[in-house]
Amino acid sequence: GEDVEQSLFLSVREGDSSVINCTYTDSSSTYLYWYKQEPGAGLQLLTYIFSNMDMKQDQRLTVLLNKKDKHLSLRIADTQTGDSAIYFCAVLPGYSSASKIIFGSGTRLSIRP
Amino acid sequence: GAGVSQSPSNKVTEKGKDVELRCDPISGHTALYWYRQSLGQGLEFLIYFQGNSAPDKSGLPSDRFSAERTGGSVSTLTIQRTQQEDSAVYLCASSLALGDPEAFFGQGTRLTVV
């Protein structure tokens, strides 16, 4: 089945860019997502990209998809303290019976002054 | 409602007791999903519903877990004879239809089995 991997921790300085990386195994994945989970809160859908796209930009967020390497990244420009959270990479597998989004373990982003 | 609503938000139960978790999806969403998030872990898929039917129950960890959905709306996840390893946050999500790219999550129910 599909496997989604991401590093557990990332620390960046306030104002710098954060880049969170993710790899997945199913090359036929259709949609790829980034969710944000703040402490004590549920998951918030940040953005998603369809597999026929290489890049999607939404204000401070840039998603890059490298289908050849099965690599997805989320770049947060001008990182702020409010960006501190756990970021989950997730994919919707491409096989016909796929109905559930598969999540990585999450990357905890911490911001230092 | 405006979003996915789950209740209770927190539940502490004694080992061996049964618990029932409730999810109220966004109005009009036909697909509903249950996930479990254990401490420091990612999300583990449990079960999904399309309407009232749940074609794929393979994610349920054991036969102590069951879920139902009636009227194509509210869903309940029941855990019988709870064990300490059942302690986790149980998250519910809904989407307009199965396979729709946008799935919205509730705040979750934090279950603690003591």
Side-chain angles (χ1 to χ4, degrees):
Chain A
E2 174 77 270
D3 193 26
V4 179
E5 299 281 342
Q6 52 184 131
S7 54
L8 293 180
F9 299 99
L10 177 66
S11 176
V12 298
R13 194 186 307 272
E14 187 176 2
D16 287 351
S17 291
S18 305
V19 179
I20 305 172
N21 295 299
C22 168
T23 57
Y24 58 97
T25 55
D26 179 12
S27 58
S28 64
S29 294
T30 53
Y31 289 96
L32 302 100
Y33 308 81
W34 287 103
Y35 280 84
K36 177 182 181 181
Q37 186 179 40
E38 294 179 271
L43 269 72
Q44 173 196 353
L45 177 61
L46 273 182
T47 185
Y48 66 92
I49 189 169
F50 188 53
S51 57
N52 67 355
M53 299 168 65
D54 297 324
M55 185 183 86
K56 180 177 180 181
Q57 188 155 2
D58 183 3
Q59 299 182 342
R60 291 190 299 120
L61 305 179
T62 303
V63 178
L64 292 177
L65 174 61
N66 181 330
K67 287 190 70 177
K68 174 175 170 292
D69 294 338
K70 289 178 275 188
H71 182 270
L72 183 75
S73 67
L74 174 69
R75 179 176 179 270
I76 306 172
D78 188 23
T79 310
Q80 304 298 308
T81 54
D83 296 324
S84 292
I86 300 175
Y87 291 82
F88 289 93
C89 173
V91 303
L92 182 66
Y95 42 86
S96 61
S97 61
S99 53
K100 53 185 183 267
I101 300 172
I102 308 296
F103 285 80
S105 298
T107 298
R108 184 180 295 276
L109 176 64
S110 63
I111 316 301
R112 57 184 191 274
Chain B
V4 177
S5 177
Q6 292 186 245
S7 61
S9 53
N10 278 285
K11 176 73 177 178
V12 180
T13 189
E14 290 182 355
K15 179 180 169 182
K17 301 277 191 189
D18 297 352
V19 294
E20 199 170 270
L21 313 180
R22 176 188 166 109
C23 173
D24 202 338
I26 293 172
S27 178
H29 281 195
T30 62
L32 185 148
Y33 312 83
W34 283 99
Y35 286 83
R36 177 168 74 172
Q37 184 179 25
S38 301
L39 186 65
Q41 302 295 311
L43 274 72
E44 174 191 5
F45 170 78
L46 297 179
I47 192 169
Y48 79 89
F49 289 88
Q50 173 59 34
N52 290 339
S53 66
D56 180 6
K57 299 182 181 179
S58 62
L60 294 175
S62 76
D63 58 9
R64 296 186 295 105
F65 286 71
S66 62
E68 65 174 19
R69 188 181 186 195
T70 54
S73 182
V74 172
S75 175
T76 53
L77 177 69
T78 302
I79 309 173
Q80 296 178 306
R81 304 181 302 282
T82 52
Q83 303 294 312
Q84 288 187 328
E85 61 262 28
D86 300 334
S87 296
V89 176
Y90 289 82
L91 291 162
C92 175
S94 71
S95 62
L96 269 174
L98 201 62
D100 188 282
E102 296 198 33
F104 298 91
F105 281 79
Q107 299 295 304
T109 294
R110 181 176 296 277
L111 175 66
T112 304
V113 182
V114 298

